Amino acid sequence: MSDGKLVIGNRRYSSWSLRGWLLVRLAGLDVTEVVIPLAGGVTLAVLDATPAGLVPYLEHGGARIWESLAIAEYCAEHAPSLWPADKVARALARSIAAEMHAGFRGLRLAMPFNACRAFPGVGRNPDSLADIARVEEIWAETRAAWGGGGPYLFGAGFGAADAMFAPVVGRFLTYEPELSAESLAYCEAVRTHPLVDEWYRGAADEPEAWLLEKYEGIG
Ligand SMILES: N[C@@H](CCC(=O)N[C@@H](CS)C(=O)NCC(=O)O)C(=O)O
């Protein structure tokens, strides 16, 4: 018997669920996964299953946790290495994770997450391009300061900050905006991480009945 449940949206579309799922898996929490196909707006089954009407939602050992950053903090209580050990690096990791959580609306709106499609060149507008430039700045500065020991933002370990940016990598792979060689290398490192790859394989296996024209008829 598991210690709780993780409610997520379907893998093809649910960028926030990818964050929560990665965090829970990285922390090694033993939970039953409940996957709800998203309706592309308000999903009644999500409203029924979660306190805030949003996925991801985690119940574990008597705790109820929603909002991706809160899930990150809860998971880090079980796996402290999700955040960097150095206090200064940890402050930066939390700052960029929070910036990701709170912002980048232009990017989200113009380039909706779709783990199974390629829409190269679509979605470029001043807002999305400004967000992409900021993401690249964050990645470059973080890796320059802390990433020397490996391919991820803070080096060798895929941590909470990487989990927060994983769906952005997914968007970049789908919409193929122009990126620096360094950003492309980071995208490759994230995409080939075994857990991210597991998510993508799961997305490819989802039933056709879950496809939404809203996210498939782009471009
Ligand atoms: N701020 C929330 C955002 C979660 C969110 O917007 N999730 C979307 C799916 S990716 C959702 O549940 N939308 C409602 C729906 O599709 O019914 C978090 O950090 O977890």
Side-chain angles (χ1 to χ4, degrees):
M1 193 152 118
S2 74
D3 299 326
K5 66 178 177 182
L6 175 67
V7 184
I8 57 174
N10 61 299
R11 286 169 164 74
R12 189 175 180 111
Y13 301 136
S14 190
S15 55
W16 288 105
S17 298
L18 169 56
R19 295 181 173 98
W21 182 87
L22 283 171
L23 291 159
V24 164
R25 288 293 300 274
L26 288 163
L29 303 188
D30 180 12
V31 290
T32 303
E33 209 175 275
V34 179
V35 181
I36 298 177
L38 296 185
V42 175
T43 310
L44 294 180
V46 170
L47 280 181
D48 279 350
T50 68
L54 297 170
V55 283
Y57 168 58
L58 175 63
E59 287 180 4
H60 181 259
R64 303 165 76 234
I65 315 107
W66 59 98
E67 288 295 333
S68 306
L69 268 188
I71 292 173
E73 293 299 351
Y74 182 80
C75 289
E77 290 188 43
H78 295 264
S81 65
L82 281 174
W83 296 119
D86 183 280
K87 192 163 55 171
V88 174
R90 198 160 62 247
L92 176 62
R94 286 196 162 111
S95 297
I96 63 176
E99 183 176 345
M100 181 69 251
H101 187 250
F104 299 99
R105 193 163 180 272
L107 174 61
R108 291 185 216 289
L109 286 178
M111 301 182 180
F113 187 76
N114 187 326
C116 301
R117 294 291 301 274
F119 301 119
V122 172
R124 297 180 194 186
N125 64 44
D127 290 342
S128 63
L129 291 175
D131 282 352
I132 289 165
R134 175 63 188 145
V135 167
E136 288 206 271
E137 184 177 57
I138 290 170
W139 290 355
E141 288 179 3
T142 305
R143 285 207 23 83
W146 299 101
Y152 303 116
L153 289 172
F154 291 88
F158 185 107
D162 299 294
M164 291 303 287
F165 281 96
V168 174
V169 167
R171 287 177 159 93
F172 287 177
L173 295 172
T174 296
Y175 295 90
E176 299 179 24
E178 282 167 31
L179 298 175
S180 69
E182 291 74 20
S183 293
L184 288 170
Y186 175 67
C187 289
E188 173 72 8
V190 170
R191 175 62 185 84
T192 54
H193 185 279
L195 286 176
V196 175
D197 194 53
E198 183 181 327
W199 179 274
Y200 271 78
R201 281 186 279 112
D205 282 345
E206 287 177 350
E208 214 170 298
W210 291 2
L211 296 184
L212 296 174
E213 176 57 21
K214 177 176 176 180
Y215 301 128
E216 301 299 330
I218 289 171

